Amino acid sequence: MEKEWTSLGVRPSLAGRLKEAGLTEPAPVQAAAIPVMLEGLDVCVRSHTGSGKTLAYLLPALQRIETDKPELQALVMAPTQELAMQIVREAERFGGPEGVRVQQLIGGASVSRQIDGLKRKPHLAVGTPGRLHELLKMRKLKLHGTKLVVLDEADQMFALGSTKELEAVLDAVSGDRQLAFFSATLPPETSALAERLMREPVRIDPAPESRLPGSIRHYAVRAERRAQFDTAKRLLHALRPSSALIFFDQTDQIAHWEARLRYEGFAAGALYGDADKLTRSQTLDRLRDGRLRIVLTTDVAARGIDIPELELVVSLGVPTDAERYIHRAGRTGRMGREGTVVSLVDPRDWPRVGKLMRKLGIAIGERELYGGQLIDPSERKRDAHSRPAAGKPAARRAEMQPVKPAEEAGEKGAGAEAANAAARHRAAVSRPESRAGKGNSSRRERELDRKNKGAPRWLKAKWESERQSTK
């Protein structure tokens, strides 16, 4: 509630807007990080994707900004355009009413417009390393008044080789600045860099034993590489997700899969790392509003994407390192929502599944597609064992039924066929012989015998007595 936000040090006006947005109480990472950041200390935060990291640093940043000073006071760096724009939207949503001016500085957007935006003296900037470095070299970005620098998805920026640009930006900031690293994973090399760049950082890890949300279900399906498209198609039919991401290790198959999925009737699109900003933004907007159901992408392109209602993540193969799996799986199950992650694994790579489970401390259940459903293989085996008893041929089941005595059954027990046969016979014996004589009569009798061959023994005896009485 509002009181709980204010107990962390969040000012009442911001706490009120959080309540209006439906955020009645802080998430664990927010409760741990906000007080420390408000003190001005360097922090290194690890928390799983979708846990609320963005507001954990944005709220302290917005609160510490002095809106009467016309200078850039806080800078947030993100590895991708999409993540940067998501941060911009959140900053404008909560900071705009507080009088905070926000400027995006991302690659793929117009540099001249960004320069014009910087002339309006924003208080907070959100950008990607490459564009920030470019603006610094052009002497259009002034960071002398910046007192807070945040690196969101810090490990990915270092993995993408942005260390040089990062250090150039940090060198342009005053020495007494506050530095914060936020990420779902903090590999040893990232932690070592934090030690070098930070001053006695406070390490925050709200759930060290849990690297992924507990609301996510993890499954693995055996599928040879050449059969992965058909397996993925059957999976989509079985689970019928409203939205799904399919992860590829390389981009060379994405266009082919996109075309095939569209041919099969799926609303599919692609998200490439080198696509222009407008195309990428339109693809994500179409996925969010339901015009697309499936987006094919890579790890880099999907880093930090926030699609709250995403139901399914499909990974083609098992990632070779746990961090990549965390970031793929973390696209779903955000902020406590349920989600499903299915890895399509070549049988030769199956041992990787066990290694991943041990490293992450999660359970990845083996599943298979059977009867249009994603099931546990043991269920199919049990079904196969029980089927012969439950599904015997009709003739065999008839043999197993007890037979009623003929006297007890009567004409009703003999059934409609016997009754019809009796009626045909009575009509035949009461009919006068034709002029054709005995030859025709004997033929008629043989025909009746043939037709009535299957009648009950008691009925045949009755017919015989009737035939004898008419002679």
Side-chain angles (χ1 to χ4, degrees), residues 211-449:
R211 304 186 67 183
L212 281 165
S215 58
I216 299 178
R217 298 177 294 272
H218 305 268
Y219 301 130
V221 175
R222 297 177 190 265
E224 293 185 2
R225 287 184 178 86
R226 62 184 178 182
Q228 283 185 342
F229 177 83
D230 288 331
T231 305
K233 182 180 70 173
R234 291 168 59 205
L235 178 69
L236 293 169
H237 280 304
L239 298 183
R240 299 183 179 278
S242 61
S243 56
L245 285 179
I246 300 180
F247 279 92
F248 292 75
D249 290 332
Q250 305 293 334
T251 60
D252 54 351
Q253 287 293 310
I254 290 182
H256 177 62
W257 274 56
E258 181 185 8
R260 290 185 68 183
L261 284 171
R262 286 182 175 178
Y263 179 79
E264 295 286 346
F266 293 99
L271 188 65
Y272 294 92
D274 57 355
D276 62 85
K277 174 181 174 292
L278 180 61
T279 301
R280 290 158 63 93
S281 178
Q282 287 176 341
T283 301
L284 286 174
D285 288 343
R286 291 169 65 201
L287 181 63
R288 289 190 185 99
D289 63 23
R291 285 176 291 164
L292 284 182
R293 277 184 59 203
I294 303 156
V295 168
L296 316 173
T297 187
T298 60
D299 295 286
V300 173
R303 193 66 172 221
I305 290 175
D306 184 18
I307 306 167
E309 305 299 329
L310 188 74
E311 294 182 358
L312 174 66
V313 168
V314 179
S315 175
L316 300 187
V318 181
T320 52
D321 60 278
E323 282 71 23
R324 284 175 61 200
Y325 185 87
I326 288 171
H327 283 288
R328 288 184 179 187
R331 299 309 104 202
T332 187
R334 300 177 76 84
M335 294 301 291
R337 296 180 180 88
E338 291 189 351
T340 303
V341 181
V342 181
S343 299
L344 305 185
V345 186
D346 189 283
R348 293 169 293 184
D349 297 332
W350 195 257
R352 290 185 188 173
V353 177
K355 292 179 182 177
L356 196 62
M357 286 194 290
R358 290 189 294 273
K359 195 163 186 178
L360 295 178
I362 60 174
I364 302 178
E366 182 177 359
R367 292 293 184 268
E368 67 178 27
L369 289 158
Y370 178 73
Q373 294 182 322
L374 186 67
I375 65 166
D376 188 323
S378 61
E379 293 179 15
R380 181 181 60 81
K381 290 173 184 175
R382 284 196 299 269
D383 184 51
H385 286 313
S386 62
R387 191 178 301 121
K392 292 180 181 296
R396 177 64 180 157
R397 288 200 303 270
E399 291 175 11
M400 297 172 65
Q401 298 297 322
V403 180
K404 292 183 179 179
E407 294 81 0
E408 183 184 329
E411 266 195 36
K412 183 178 179 182
E417 184 180 348
N420 292 337
R424 288 195 301 271
H425 181 76
R426 283 192 295 271
V429 297
S430 63
R431 191 183 302 126
E433 284 191 6
S434 68
R435 294 176 183 177
K438 289 184 179 180
N440 288 340
S441 177
S442 60
R443 277 199 302 273
R444 197 160 47 247
E445 288 179 4
R446 285 198 302 272
E447 181 68 15
L448 286 171
D449 283 342

Side-chain angles (χ1 to χ4, degrees), residues 121-137:
K121 305 297 181 182
H123 301 112
L124 169 67
V126 183
T128 49
R131 179 53 56 87
L132 291 171
H133 190 225
E134 181 182 354
L135 290 167
L136 277 174
K137 289 193 296 182

